[in-house]
């Protein structure tokens, strides 16, 4: 067993605190890498708070994990000691269902193994995430990271990056499209970067007027303050796509009204409560409400390679692990510019 230092939540009400646990020995097909940085996703907070479903505790959050390989199993072919490596939201899947066979492991019909707050494919061994000093992952779920990019700023690509890249690719969002990015946080700011890189005309829909300057610096062409009725009225019926990254309950019917005929509202944000959708909001203008979850391993590698080639990283604020609670508090207030990344040397 590999003794591992971590920060964990012991239940849904206590703050994160130091915790030690054992990871499995490096198996024949495993890669062990020491974690240098781990991004802080709003999903970490949702899961610690049991926002979506009762969690598995103690919970070590973190699924935007980067570091350096320290050991590889005897059958490992894709990695060697010293490589820079990363892991996102999944650490395994069944490999044989029709979705896994199409590189859509995130939609594994048996259920992919989440990096934390989940279980391995044996259905019982709990998984522990990246707020820790080292991790052991099957090599097929480890990503190669270019040494050209600032490593701390790469970490958020493993979740915020792929979660926004994948739907934009799937719906072929690009030149000639008007894309609205709803919510300028961790996912939202990556959606702006990718949307602009793919050639779309990008508008940020935000509740925070103070983020306008940042949105423009990120490349957005327009900025709409969603709490201003006049700005909302002017935006009605104008977008081909809305990529919805909002973490809190919000009025879908109002946002559906901003789409053009045949427009698509893509949910990636996961508010804790179900939404109320009026059929009229969809049928007037033949609109679609869709969703997308992270991305498959091959697509995640494609995204990382695209980012290395095009010099795309996340805009980050590096924090000490002891300040994680303060980071969560700021995240809840929408005050993230635009992803917290934990320096794991502070563990
Ligand atoms: P985040 O950094 O906290 O950003 C969320 C943004 O939503 C905020 O910055 C804020 O932007 C906006 N917002 C918050 N409350 C709002 C409200 N009541 N009404 C309208 N806008 C509001 O969070 P994140 O890490 O980007 O994650 C966003 C969501 O995506 C979370 O629910 C997370 O769990 C989910 N997620 C899903 C996947 C997936 O696979 N689909 C993957 C990762 C994360 P403004 O200040 O601009 O309004
Ligand atoms: Zn995430």
């Amino acid at each position: 067993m590999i003794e591992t230092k971590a920060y964990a939540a012991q239940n849904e009400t206590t703050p994160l605190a130091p915790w030690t646990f054992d990871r499995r020995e490096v198996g024949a097909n495993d890669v062990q890498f020491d974690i240098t940085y781990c991004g802080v996703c709003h999903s970490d907070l949702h899961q610690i708070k049991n926002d979506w479903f009762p969690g598995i505790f103690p919970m070590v959050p973190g699924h935007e994990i980067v570091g350096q390989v320290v050991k590889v199993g005897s059958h490992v072919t894709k990695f060697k000691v010293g490589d820079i490596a990363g892991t996102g939201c999944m650490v395994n899947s069944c490999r044989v269902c029709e979705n896994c066979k199409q590189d859509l492991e995130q939609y594994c019909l048996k259920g992919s193994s989440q990096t934390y707050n989940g279980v391995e494919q044996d259905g019982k061994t709990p998984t522990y995430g990246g707020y820790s000093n080292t991790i052991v992952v099957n090599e097929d779920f480890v990503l190669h990271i270019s040494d050209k990019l600032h490593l701390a700023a790469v970490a958020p690509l493993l979740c915020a990056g792929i979660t926004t890249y994948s739907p934009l690719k799937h719906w072929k969002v690009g030149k000639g499209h008007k894309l609205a990015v709803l919510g300028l946080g961790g996912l939202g700011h990556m959606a702006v970067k990718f949307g602009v890189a793919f050639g779309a005309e990008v508008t940020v829909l935000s509740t925070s007027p103070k983020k306008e300057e940042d949105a423009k610096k990120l490349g957005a062409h327009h900025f709409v303050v969603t709490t201003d009725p006049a700005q909302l009225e002017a935006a009605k019926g104008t977008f081909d796509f809305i990529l919805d990254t909002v973490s809190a309950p919000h009025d879908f019917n109002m946002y559906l009204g901003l789409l053009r005929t045949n427009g698509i509202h893509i949910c990636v944000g996961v508010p804790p409560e179900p939404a109320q959708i009026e059929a009229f909001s969809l049928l007037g203008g033949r609109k679609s409400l869709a969703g997308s979850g992270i991305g498959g391993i091959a697509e995640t590698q494609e995204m990382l390679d695209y980012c290395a080639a095009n010099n795309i990283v996340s805009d980050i604020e590096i924090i000490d692990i002891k300040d994680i609670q303060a980071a969560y508090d700021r995240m809840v207030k929408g005050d993230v510019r635009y992803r917290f990344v934990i320096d794991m040397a502070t563990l």
Side-chain angles (χ1 to χ4, degrees):
M1 291 298 197
I2 300 167
E3 195 178 72
T4 304
K5 276 167 59 177
Y7 255 49
Q10 295 298 327
N11 58 54
E12 76 277 20
T13 55
T14 53
L16 290 180
W19 186 58
T20 303
F21 67 101
D22 287 332
R23 292 206 186 269
R24 68 169 181 267
E25 277 304 335
V26 178
N29 299 303
D30 288 336
V31 169
Q32 181 190 359
F33 63 97
D34 283 350
I35 300 171
T36 323
Y37 296 104
C38 184
V40 178
C41 180
H42 207 116
S43 305
D44 299 346
L45 188 54
H46 284 308
Q47 292 185 82
I48 296 166
K49 293 194 316 183
N50 282 350
D51 269 356
W52 298 333
F53 48 82
I56 301 168
F57 292 92
M59 190 187 300
V60 178
H63 57 207
E64 295 183 338
I65 310 167
V66 293
Q68 198 162 27
V69 176
V70 292
K71 196 169 179 184
V72 297
S74 53
H75 293 170
V76 167
T77 56
K78 298 175 189 154
F79 292 87
K80 58 181 191 319
V81 171
D83 284 354
I84 305 172
T87 287
C89 302
M90 302 177 282
V91 288
N92 216 338
S93 71
C94 86
R95 322 287 185 104
V96 294
C97 74
E98 60 175 322
N99 287 347
C100 284
K101 284 198 166 142
Q102 291 179 77
D103 292 328
L104 295 170
E105 303 88 356
Q106 76 275 34
Y107 307 131
C108 172
L109 297 175
K110 195 185 150 200
S112 54
S113 296
Q114 302 302 293
T115 300
Y116 69 88
N117 194 20
V119 287
E120 299 284 357
Q121 287 296 297
D122 64 6
K124 56 178 193 233
T125 307
T127 54
Y128 299 109
Y131 296 10
S132 59
N133 66 330
T134 197
I135 191 164
V136 178
V137 184
N138 183 290
E139 69 165 332
D140 295 336
F141 284 75
V142 184
L143 287 307
H144 286 281
I145 309 250
S146 162
D147 58 9
K148 280 198 215 134
L149 301 174
H150 176 35
L151 190 55
V154 168
L157 300 180
L158 274 312
C159 174
I162 185 60
T163 302
T164 49
Y165 180 94
S166 183
L168 295 179
K169 281 282 172 184
H170 176 77
W171 278 283
K172 301 186 171 57
V173 178
K175 269 202 176 60
H177 289 139
K178 291 191 169 153
L179 166 69
V181 174
L182 177 51
L184 193 62
L187 267 56
H189 92 291
M190 290 312 306
V192 171
K193 291 190 186 208
F194 289 132
V196 170
F198 299 164
E201 186 177 329
V202 177
T203 300
V204 170
L205 304 176
S206 175
T207 59
S208 310
K210 284 192 210 135
K211 292 182 182 170
E212 176 159 7
E213 208 184 310
D214 291 344
K216 300 277 167 70
K217 273 194 212 141
L218 290 164
H221 306 93
H222 315 282
F223 189 85
V224 170
V225 180
T226 52
T227 47
D228 176 348
Q231 292 193 36
L232 263 191
E233 187 58 33
K236 267 191 184 158
T238 59
F239 302 116
D240 298 291
F241 298 94
I242 295 175
L243 190 60
D244 179 347
T245 75
V246 173
S247 52
H250 54 289
D251 183 359
F252 280 71
N253 301 297
M254 191 232 328
Y255 293 112
L256 285 164
L258 306 186
L259 287 172
R260 298 167 76 172
T261 302
N262 295 325
I264 306 179
H265 183 125
I266 307 164
C267 302
V268 288
V270 192
E273 290 148 39
Q276 298 262 336
I277 315 284
E278 287 170 33
F280 281 123
S281 306
L282 294 167
L283 64 86
R286 197 165 49 197
K287 293 167 186 172
S288 304
L289 183 60
S292 184
I294 48 171
I297 294 298
E299 192 176 41
T300 305
Q301 190 63 61
E302 174 193 306
M303 179 271 316
L304 288 167
D305 296 346
Y306 178 86
C307 288
N310 293 279
N311 209 22
I312 294 175
V313 286
S314 182
D315 290 16
I316 58 162
E317 187 174 329
I318 296 180
I319 60 165
D320 282 15
I321 189 125
K322 68 172 169 37
D323 297 327
I324 185 66
Q325 198 54 48
Y328 286 156
D329 293 344
R330 281 181 55 194
M331 188 157 72
V332 170
K333 291 188 204 135
D335 177 24
V336 186
R337 311 280 165 112
Y338 279 89
R339 197 60 142 185
F340 293 116
V341 172
I342 306 166
D343 177 354
M344 222 37 83
T346 64
L347 185 67

